[in-house]
């Protein structure tokens, strides 16, 4: 029998090579489908594909990386499997410099998709697996698409942990990211802004590093009307400014010195809701730092701009605009009055009464109402006048005690009640549906008003409030018990004994001249003490 020819041997190897390429092509095709991800994981696809990353055929290597990238993007468990595969990433990323553009792009996509699911793995990718070195190589590649995907990869990693951002900065890659803001391609600017914003958000030190790279003037360029149709660019530029300003007054002043106003206020009237939302976030972050900044926002029409965001919010919550109004109001009674005069309160009440299940939105609204009503009787009365307190009571009743809105509403109600000096407003809150935890705060204020007004005492009896509170039967150690005792001290013992039935007019007339006895006490819930009543009627 004659030995096989070179042709027959080569045919065998060609068939083997072709089968490998067919396999990775099929793998990459299935990895792109979410429904197949779990099946591929159970089939140990990562272990089977890993040897092909060193295949002699560059098309096999590139397609294998593409499949792994898709698999990582579709499945957290698969992403973890890829990360844990022995030497897979280190070997893959260490050879990036020797590969073609398609291979580099797929490697960057793999980094991006791994980071999407596994934030804890980002530092390992960047340091332990030579990820930073691989990204640097790709950022300098002559192929514009390779550089773009490398920017995407670094953007996906930058925001996950401060230590990762420190690693990015120490690698020297930051300068290239900043220079990408000047690239002609839209996506370069977008991913560069996103990366800088993700780094800046972590802490003041990292935000200062971004500022020192002269990024603020470059970001502000994108706020002009020349970019009004570039929605994602404008939103990313606003996010960067917000993430710089939020850390300190010094950084906020640095942002403001670049003259971002009135452009940011104008953007709160932008036709795109995402721009309005991001502009409101910038205002929210700057006004909280000082009264001077809050005054500047108010005098330049900021309240009207913020109200526009609240009125036109649909897909995005109006929380930043509402919180901005809260911070402005918290700074001084005059600024709170300016917010009231802008007719904001009825719209805040509408948010509380809406069907939204957004806990943060309702909690933020309650907090803002508290900031407005905390200054004094006039401010409190304005909050009551728009039925905001009743709306907060409804939210308090309807929401779970585990939710932030529940606690914020309770706090706001207590503070606003403590400033209220209008008896009629308070007694209208005394209904069977009033939460028992709110009742002591209402009665405490009323107990301080009743001794000063016989008309108030008559009203309190005739409308059944005195009778109602006798039926509450609170625990003798509770605030409510002591507050009820304080209220009872404002009435003669004969009336308290007759409270279950009709009280004759002859008895009520005696009430007009009634002076509480010296042994009666007024309870002070804040001090948790009782004081001997000495004020005459």
């Amino acid at each position: 029998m004659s030995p096989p020819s070179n042709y027959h041997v080569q045919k065998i190897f060609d068939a083997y090579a072709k089968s490998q390429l067919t396999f990775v092509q099929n793998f990459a095709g299935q990895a792109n489908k979410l429904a197949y991800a779990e099946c591929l994981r159970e089939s140990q696809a990562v272990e089977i594909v890993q040897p092909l990353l060193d295949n002699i055929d560059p098309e096999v290597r590139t397609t294998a990386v593409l499949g792994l990238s898709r698999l990582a993007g579709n499945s957290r468990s698969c992403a973890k499997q890829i990360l844990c595969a022995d030497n897979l990433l280190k070997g893959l990323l260490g050879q990036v410099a020797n590969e073609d553009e398609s291979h580099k792009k797929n490697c960057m996509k793999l980094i991006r998709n791994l980071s999407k699911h596994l934030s804890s793995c980002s530092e390992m990718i960047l340091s332990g697996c030579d990820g930073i070195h691989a990204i640097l190589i790709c950022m300098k590649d002559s192929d514009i698409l390779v550089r773009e995907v490398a920017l995407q990869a670094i953007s996906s990693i930058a925001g996950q942990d401060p230590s990762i951002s420190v690693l990015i900065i120490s690698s020297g890659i930051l300068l290239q990211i900043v220079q990408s803001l000047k690239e002609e391609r839209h996506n370069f600017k977008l991913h560069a802004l996103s990366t800088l914003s993700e780094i800046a958000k972590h802490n003041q030190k990292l935000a200062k590093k971004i500022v020192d790279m002269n990024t603020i003037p470059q970001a502000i360029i994108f706020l002009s009307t020349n970019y009004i149709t570039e929605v994602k660019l404008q939103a990313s530029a606003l996010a960067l400014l917000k993430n710089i300003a939020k850390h300190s007054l010094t950084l906020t002043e640095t942002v403001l010195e670049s003259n971002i106003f009135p452009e940011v206020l104008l953007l709160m009237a932008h036709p795109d809701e995402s721009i309005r939302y991001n502009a409101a976030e910038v205002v929210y972050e700057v006004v909280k730092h000082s009264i001077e900044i809050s005054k500047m926002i108010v005098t330049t029409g900021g309240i009207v701009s913020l109200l526009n965001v609240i009125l036109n919010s649909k897909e995005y919550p109006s929380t930043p605009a509402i919180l901005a109004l809260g911070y402005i109001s918290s700074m001084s009674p005059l600024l709170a009055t300016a917010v009231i005069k802008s007719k904001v309160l009825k719209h805040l009440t509408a948010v509380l009464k809406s069907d939204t299940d957004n806990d943060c939105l309702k909690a933020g609204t309650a907090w803002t109402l508290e900031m407005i009503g905390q200054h004094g009787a006039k401010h409190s009365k304005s909050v009551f006048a728009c039925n905001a307190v009743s709306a907060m009571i409804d939210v308090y009743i309807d929401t779970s005690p585990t939710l932030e809105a529940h606690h914020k509403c309770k706090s706001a109600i207590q503070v606003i009640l403590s400033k209220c000096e209008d008896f009629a407003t308070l007694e209208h809150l005394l209904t069977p549906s009033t939460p028992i935890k709110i009742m002591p705060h209402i009665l405490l204020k009323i107990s301080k008003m009743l001794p000063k007004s016989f008309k108030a005492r008559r009203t309190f009896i005739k409308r059944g409030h005195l009778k109602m509170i006798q039926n509450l039967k609170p625990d003798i150690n509770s605030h409510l018990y002591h507050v009820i005792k304080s209220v009872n001290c404002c009435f003669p013992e004969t009336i308290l004994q007759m409270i279950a039935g009709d009280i004759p007019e002859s008895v009520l007339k005696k009430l007009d001249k009634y002076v509480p006895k010296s042994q009666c006490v007024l309870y002070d819930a804040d001090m948790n003490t009782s004081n001997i009543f000495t004020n005459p009627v």
Side-chain angles (χ1 to χ4, degrees):
M1 183 176 179
S2 60
S5 65
N6 289 341
Y7 171 76
H8 287 98
V9 172
Q10 188 61 43
K11 191 174 180 181
I12 293 170
F13 280 94
D14 287 346
Y16 175 64
K18 186 177 180 180
S19 68
Q20 288 179 312
L21 180 58
T22 301
F23 168 74
V24 291
Q25 287 173 337
N26 288 332
F27 164 67
Q30 290 190 341
N32 203 32
K33 299 173 183 177
L34 183 60
Y36 290 167
E38 190 60 26
C39 292
L40 289 170
R41 187 190 68 80
E42 291 176 354
S43 301
Q44 300 297 314
V46 175
E47 291 183 13
I48 295 170
V49 170
Q50 184 174 356
L52 297 176
L53 298 174
D54 296 319
N55 194 275
I56 193 171
D57 185 345
E59 189 175 0
V60 171
R61 295 197 304 272
T62 299
T63 308
V65 179
L66 175 63
L68 292 174
S69 169
R70 290 172 172 177
L71 196 59
N74 281 328
S75 168
R76 177 183 174 84
S77 57
C78 289
K80 190 173 182 180
Q81 200 175 50
I82 293 168
L83 184 69
C84 295
D86 187 39
N87 209 39
L88 189 156
L89 277 176
K90 190 172 182 66
L92 180 64
L93 298 177
Q95 295 298 317
V96 161
N98 303 320
E99 299 289 354
D100 62 18
E101 283 72 17
S102 293
H103 192 93
K104 290 174 182 174
K105 280 190 289 185
N106 290 336
C107 284
M108 293 300 101
K109 288 178 182 177
L110 178 59
I111 290 178
R112 179 194 66 193
N113 290 343
L114 285 170
S115 302
K116 167 182 161 184
H117 290 297
L118 302 164
S119 58
S120 60
C121 80
S122 295
E123 190 168 356
M124 179 180 174
I125 292 172
L126 292 184
S127 55
C129 297
D130 292 327
I132 276 285
H133 180 67
I135 291 171
L136 277 167
I137 290 171
C138 293
M139 288 279 285
K140 295 176 181 178
D141 197 88
S142 59
D143 189 293
I144 194 166
L145 293 177
V146 173
R147 298 203 305 274
E148 182 179 321
V149 181
L151 255 180
Q152 286 181 26
I154 203 74
S155 176
S156 69
I157 289 172
Q160 294 180 355
D161 189 87
S163 62
I164 295 170
S165 290
V166 170
L167 188 59
I168 292 169
I169 291 173
S170 63
S171 72
I173 202 171
L174 190 58
L175 179 60
Q176 289 176 275
I177 296 170
V178 173
Q179 288 174 342
S180 296
L181 292 172
K182 299 178 181 179
E183 292 273 1
E184 289 186 11
R185 284 177 65 87
H186 172 281
N187 283 348
F188 269 93
K189 299 182 180 78
L190 182 60
H191 297 311
L193 284 169
S194 175
T195 304
L196 295 169
S197 178
E198 289 297 309
I199 294 172
K201 78 178 184 183
H202 291 299
N203 56 51
Q204 183 176 344
K205 187 175 180 180
L206 288 171
K208 181 68 165 54
K209 291 281 188 182
I210 300 300
V211 170
D212 291 343
M213 298 297 291
N214 198 36
T215 54
I216 293 178
Q218 295 182 65
I220 289 172
I221 292 171
F222 302 120
L223 304 185
S224 71
T225 53
N226 295 335
Y227 290 89
I228 194 166
T229 59
E230 302 286 356
V231 171
K232 290 184 178 180
L233 266 181
Q234 288 198 324
S236 296
L238 288 165
L240 173 57
L241 295 173
K242 173 201 74 175
N243 284 330
I244 291 172
K246 71 178 185 179
H247 296 294
S248 69
L249 175 59
T250 301
L251 286 171
T252 291
E253 289 174 341
T254 302
V255 171
L256 293 177
E257 285 167 5
S258 299
N259 299 318
I260 65 169
F261 293 101
E263 279 78 7
V264 171
L265 298 184
L266 294 173
L267 287 173
M268 285 195 281
H270 194 283
D272 187 271
E273 190 175 348
S274 67
I275 299 296
R276 299 197 298 269
Y277 175 85
N278 280 278
E281 282 206 311
V282 173
V283 176
Y284 156 63
E285 292 295 353
V286 302
V287 295
K288 67 184 184 183
H289 290 294
S290 77
I291 186 172
E292 288 76 17
I293 296 172
S294 290
K295 285 179 179 178
M296 182 270 291
I297 296 296
V298 171
T299 55
T300 53
I303 296 177
V304 175
S305 299
L306 291 165
L307 180 56
N308 180 70
V309 175
I310 295 170
L311 293 176
N312 295 288
S313 292
K314 294 177 182 177
E315 295 182 13
Y316 287 76
S318 55
T319 312
I322 290 172
L323 292 175
L325 291 171
Y327 275 114
I328 291 169
S329 300
S330 71
M331 295 294 174
S332 75
L334 284 176
L335 288 175
T337 299
V339 171
I340 291 169
K341 288 182 177 179
S342 298
K343 300 181 179 179
V344 165
L345 291 177
K346 65 178 182 180
H347 301 295
L348 296 179
T349 304
V351 172
L352 290 171
K353 291 182 175 181
S354 68
D355 295 332
T356 180
D357 57 357
N358 188 323
D359 181 62
C360 290
L361 177 60
K362 290 196 173 181
T365 304
W367 177 81
T368 293
L369 287 165
E370 180 181 340
M371 295 302 101
I372 295 169
Q374 69 177 334
H375 295 289
K378 289 183 179 180
H379 297 85
S380 172
K381 187 175 182 179
S382 296
V383 176
F384 270 104
C386 66
N387 295 317
V389 174
S390 296
M392 284 190 283
I393 289 175
D394 290 339
V395 173
Y396 177 83
I397 294 170
D398 293 341
T399 54
S400 166
T402 61
L403 295 177
E404 188 67 13
H406 182 90
H407 300 288
K408 291 295 184 186
C409 283
K410 181 182 178 182
S411 172
I413 293 165
Q414 291 174 0
V415 170
I416 295 165
L417 279 172
S418 71
K419 300 298 179 179
C420 182
E421 299 297 338
D422 184 67
F423 178 79
T425 297
L426 291 168
E427 60 106 5
H428 281 135
L429 292 177
L430 291 175
T431 68
S433 63
T434 301
I436 199 70
K437 290 184 178 180
I438 301 298
M439 193 71 77
H441 303 281
I442 303 171
L443 292 175
L444 182 64
K445 288 295 295 186
I446 287 176
S447 70
K448 296 175 182 179
M449 295 178 179
L450 288 173
K452 302 173 184 177
S453 170
F454 70 86
K455 289 183 179 179
R457 294 197 294 270
R458 275 178 168 263
T459 301
F460 201 75
I461 293 171
K462 286 188 172 182
R463 292 189 175 168
H465 301 316
L466 186 60
K467 180 180 179 180
M468 182 193 76
I469 66 173
Q470 308 309 314
N471 296 328
L472 292 177
K473 309 297 183 186
D475 184 272
I476 60 171
N477 295 317
S478 67
H479 289 328
L480 181 58
Y481 175 83
H482 292 288
V483 173
I484 291 174
K485 283 185 66 177
S486 293
V487 173
N488 289 345
C489 276
C490 301
F491 298 91
E493 194 67 32
T494 53
I495 287 181
L496 293 173
Q497 292 171 355
M498 300 170 65
I499 200 66
D502 294 330
I503 301 174
E505 181 62 28
S506 58
V507 177
L508 289 176
K509 283 183 178 180
K510 294 180 181 179
L511 177 65
D512 298 346
K513 296 181 181 180
Y514 173 70
V515 178
K517 295 179 181 178
S518 61
Q519 65 264 31
C520 285
V521 293
L522 286 178
Y523 182 66
D524 189 337
D526 293 329
M527 299 297 294
N528 198 20
T529 59
S530 298
N531 302 306
I532 298 297
F533 181 87
T534 57
N535 295 336
V537 177

